[in-house]
Amino acid sequence: MATGTGAWYTFGGDRRGGPGVLADSAAVASLAGSPDLPWPAEGQASAEVEGMGSLGTKGEQIPVPIASITKVMTAYVVLTGHPLSGDGHGEEATADQQAADESFSTAESTAPVAAGHRYTQRQLLELMMRPSGNNVARLLARWNSGDKERFTEKMNKAAAAPGMDALPTPEPPASRPTRRARPPTR
């Protein structure tokens, strides 16, 4: 559910109301009681309309890993050690067999890479961030530091730096996730 000032949209993208047109509270209440919300088939989800309350939940509401902050921190550590110019492509890295094999995982988000193919640093960062390629994040960690343990040390050190103290210490996708999203509580 995405909410905006004066409009709201359902998961399926059907538009109710519009910019500058407030959604009818009776329609929202009717939708909230509807058993046919387009919930995901697996995992968990929660939807809420500001000012109206919860539209419901699906699945067990437990903390789950947040991959995106870990990928942002992975990019930060990589770019700290290997800066890019505004339009530069950076150094090259060769995709290993592990990253290529992980491209076919159905248990996580990945990006396609071919073993033995050379990619620029910019290409790998884009593959990690845009399609959220966990396999590429792990490849970058190995390229940057040699192995996940050394990369984890670098990331923990970066996360402990002044100005980053509001973040729990993340670990790269190569390690067990520690950042967790918690369902909203009221």
Side-chain angles (χ1 to χ4, degrees):
M1 177 60 102
T3 62
T5 306
W8 61 273
Y9 303 85
T10 65
F11 292 104
D14 297 334
R15 186 173 166 175
R16 313 280 181 173
V21 179
L22 293 176
D24 180 338
S25 62
V28 173
S30 168
L31 180 63
S34 172
D36 61 351
L37 282 175
W39 295 109
E42 58 185 62
Q44 61 185 359
S46 177
E48 189 171 308
V49 175
E50 191 172 318
M52 293 298 297
S54 175
L55 294 180
T57 61
K58 172 76 174 174
E60 185 179 3
Q61 300 296 298
I62 57 172
V64 295
I66 299 175
S68 297
I69 190 68
T70 305
K71 289 185 185 98
V72 169
M73 285 298 295
T74 298
Y76 176 78
V77 170
V78 167
L79 289 169
T80 298
H82 306 274
L84 285 178
S85 64
D87 59 353
H89 295 282
E91 301 172 45
E92 288 190 347
T94 302
D96 58 17
Q97 190 64 49
Q98 179 180 344
D101 290 346
E102 291 171 350
S103 293
F104 299 101
S105 173
T106 58
E108 63 179 347
S109 59
T110 63
V113 293
H117 185 82
R118 295 192 59 77
Y119 296 90
T120 67
Q121 181 181 343
R122 181 176 299 278
Q123 287 173 318
L124 290 175
L125 289 166
E126 289 176 357
L127 285 169
M128 177 181 69
M129 298 303 289
R130 286 190 180 157
S132 195
N134 291 332
N135 60 322
V136 177
R138 290 186 291 268
L139 172 61
L140 279 167
R142 290 189 299 275
W143 172 76
N144 180 270
S145 303
D147 61 43
K148 71 178 184 179
E149 289 77 17
R150 284 191 291 239
F151 191 79
T152 298
E153 289 174 20
K154 284 184 179 182
M155 189 178 282
N156 287 340
K157 185 176 180 181
M164 296 267 204
D165 56 352
L167 293 174
T169 304
E171 295 180 13
S175 291
R176 62 180 181 77
T178 58
R179 291 272 299 163
R180 304 243 176 227
R182 289 186 174 26
T185 56
R186 296 252 178 208

